[in-house]
Amino acid sequence: DTAVSQTPKYLVTQMGNDKSIKCEQNLGHDTMYWYKQDSKKFLKIMFSYNNKELIINETVPNRFSPKSPDKAHLNLHINSLELGDSAVYFCASSRGGRETQYFGPGTRLLVL
Amino acid sequence: SQQGEEDPQALSIQEGENATMNCSYKTSINNLQWYRQNSGRGLVHLILIRSNEREKHSGRLRVTLDTSKKSSSLLITASRAADTASYFCATVWRDDKIIFGKGTRLHILP
């Protein structure tokens, strides 16, 4: 059973489009995260949710909007996609904010 | 920047040798975590070491933490081809903020 899953795995789209990435964890964790990994492999946290409540909201354009319908899901919606949004987006979860994180396989987004 | 900084950025060693990677950071932390990322995959957790711990082991992995020097090291003994990956340290601050370093790319030569 996959602990943290993301869909889609690959996403190729045109500039200006709106897209969503979904994340689900079956570990019973309270905290979920979204990360962006750029072409240089630098991993930067974007958002953190604890029990459906936004905890961390890093300096991210407001075109990015996370939504947590329940504790096991954290989706990422991106409006008006730009070339610079091309990256790998990782979802992760943990029991608490300071604990080990479990990562999903990543969603490779390419904006043309 | 408060992020952890891994050193070296890249490391190539012969299979069977030991590999050592270092991580330095700038502020007080709650714990420090090491992760591995194979090419095209997500990160996998290796070891979490808390600020009051000095050393932890897991199989062929050994992690040390020196809070006075604000540094940690990851030692992989008897390296194998399967250890080829990028290794990241992540520092967890007192307010639960987590910052990942830029990673060390380890290549094990046959």
Side-chain angles (χ1 to χ4, degrees), chain B residues 16 25-26 102:
Chain B
Y25 55 94
K26 295 181 180 178
K102 294 180 181 178

Side-chain angles (χ1 to χ4, degrees), chain A residues 3-16:
Chain A
V4 182
S5 59
Q6 295 178 228
T7 54
K9 191 170 181 180
Y10 299 95
L11 188 51
V12 181
T13 188
Q14 298 287 330
M15 253 184 3

Side-chain angles (χ1 to χ4, degrees), chain A residues 73-111:
Chain A
H73 295 84
L74 181 62
N75 304 323
L76 183 65
H77 188 73
I78 316 170
N79 288 329
S80 303
L81 279 155
E82 299 177 357
L83 294 177
D85 297 333
S86 295
V88 183
Y89 292 83
F90 287 100
C91 175
S93 73
S94 67
R95 280 189 304 168
R98 298 179 177 182
E99 301 304 317
T100 299
Q101 297 195 17
Y102 293 79
F103 282 78
T107 295
R108 284 139 194 85
L109 171 65
L110 177 60
V111 182

Side-chain angles (χ1 to χ4, degrees), chain A residues 35 37 41-43 45 58 90 97-101 103-105 108, chain B residues 3 30-31 33 35 37 40 42-43 45 50 88 94 96-98 100:
Chain A
Y35 289 88
Q37 187 173 45
K41 303 301 182 187
F42 179 44
L43 193 69
I45 190 168
E58 290 297 310
F90 287 100
R98 298 179 177 182
E99 301 304 317
T100 299
Q101 297 195 17
F103 282 78
R108 284 139 194 85
Chain B
Q3 71 191 60
N30 176 273
N31 68 66
Q33 302 174 22
Y35 290 81
Q37 184 180 32
L43 279 73
H45 178 256
R50 302 192 188 280
F88 294 86
R94 306 269 180 219
D96 293 357
K97 191 169 183 177
I98 184 167
F100 280 80

Side-chain angles (χ1 to χ4, degrees), chain A residues 4-8 11 19-25 31-35 46-49 52-54 56 60 63-79 89-92 107:
Chain A
V4 182
S5 59
Q6 295 178 228
T7 54
L11 188 51
K19 289 294 178 185
S20 291
I21 307 172
K22 296 187 175 182
C23 177
E24 177 180 1
Q25 55 98 0
T31 308
M32 294 185 73
Y33 311 80
W34 275 110
Y35 289 88
M46 301 173 69
F47 302 102
S48 165
Y49 267 73
K52 303 197 301 175
E53 182 183 337
L54 183 63
I56 293 174
V60 174
R63 298 181 294 103
F64 290 80
S65 54
K67 284 191 172 47
S68 182
D70 56 59
K71 208 172 75 165
H73 295 84
L74 181 62
N75 304 323
L76 183 65
H77 188 73
I78 316 170
N79 288 329
Y89 292 83
F90 287 100
C91 175
T107 295

Side-chain angles (χ1 to χ4, degrees), chain B residues 9-62:
Chain B
Q9 288 189 335
L11 179 63
S12 292
I13 61 171
Q14 293 294 138
E15 193 168 11
E17 292 181 341
N18 296 342
T20 299
M21 289 158 268
N22 302 297
C23 172
S24 59
Y25 55 94
K26 295 181 180 178
T27 190
S28 295
I29 59 172
N30 176 273
N31 68 66
L32 186 145
Q33 302 174 22
W34 283 93
Y35 290 81
R36 183 187 73 232
Q37 184 180 32
N38 290 91
S39 181
R41 309 290 289 272
L43 279 73
V44 174
H45 178 256
L46 298 176
I47 290 182
L48 181 155
I49 186 164
R50 302 192 188 280
S51 59
N52 61 352
E53 297 175 312
R54 293 295 166 259
E55 188 170 312
K56 283 189 93 165
H57 297 254
S58 176
R60 293 182 297 113
L61 307 180
R62 173 178 168 249

